[in-house]
Amino acid sequence: MGQAFFIQLFASGVAVALLVGLAAWARIARPTGPLDDARARALLEDEFPGRRLDAIWVASDGQGALAKSGGLALVICRLGDGYVARQIPWAQALQASFRHGRLCVDLADVAAPKAFLNLPAWPPKDLAA
């Protein structure tokens, strides 16, 4: 093993260390924490500016939320290391399948076909359709 090998090995190590440092500094692929009511509300207001949120239900595991806004349901769910937001008719959200504490909302979107939310009960008893 010659001197050129060790120089190349050292340069490769420095390059890897720089890339790791850049990823840490840029917060690339950092996992996001679970949603709470305030964070879900802030994300929905950011995605759907000007919409009034009548009620919001956050999944018990913090992986998504569903909000009623007039005749629409605003759905936010985890996809990859971030969240996606979609809007569907409120009637469609009320008819979503609910089994074993898990709501399955069909979003009819190629990028995010279904949203799964862990909720204690569905449909909500305290809100008129």
Side-chain angles (χ1 to χ4, degrees), residues 1-39:
M1 288 191 235
Q3 184 179 7
F5 172 78
F6 289 111
I7 292 173
Q8 185 178 7
L9 182 65
F10 176 74
S12 296
V14 169
V16 168
L18 285 173
L19 289 175
V20 169
L22 177 66
W25 174 76
R27 296 179 178 257
I28 296 172
R30 288 265 171 112
T32 57
L35 287 177
D36 60 1
D37 189 49
R39 184 149 184 260

Side-chain angles (χ1 to χ4, degrees), residues 64-80:
L66 188 137
K68 182 177 189 316
S69 177
L72 293 175
L74 309 177
V75 182
I76 189 166
C77 62
R78 190 173 198 65
L79 185 68

Side-chain angles (χ1 to χ4, degrees), residues 35 40 57-66 76-78 83 116-117 119:
L35 287 177
W57 297 271
V58 178
S60 57
D61 59 359
Q63 299 297 307
L66 188 137
I76 189 166
C77 62
R78 190 173 198 65
Y83 292 95
F116 296 100
L117 304 172
L119 296 172

Side-chain angles (χ1 to χ4, degrees), residues 104-123:
C104 177
V105 181
D106 184 14
L107 300 175
D109 188 341
V110 174
K114 293 182 191 243
F116 296 100
L117 304 172
N118 294 326
L119 296 172
W122 192 259

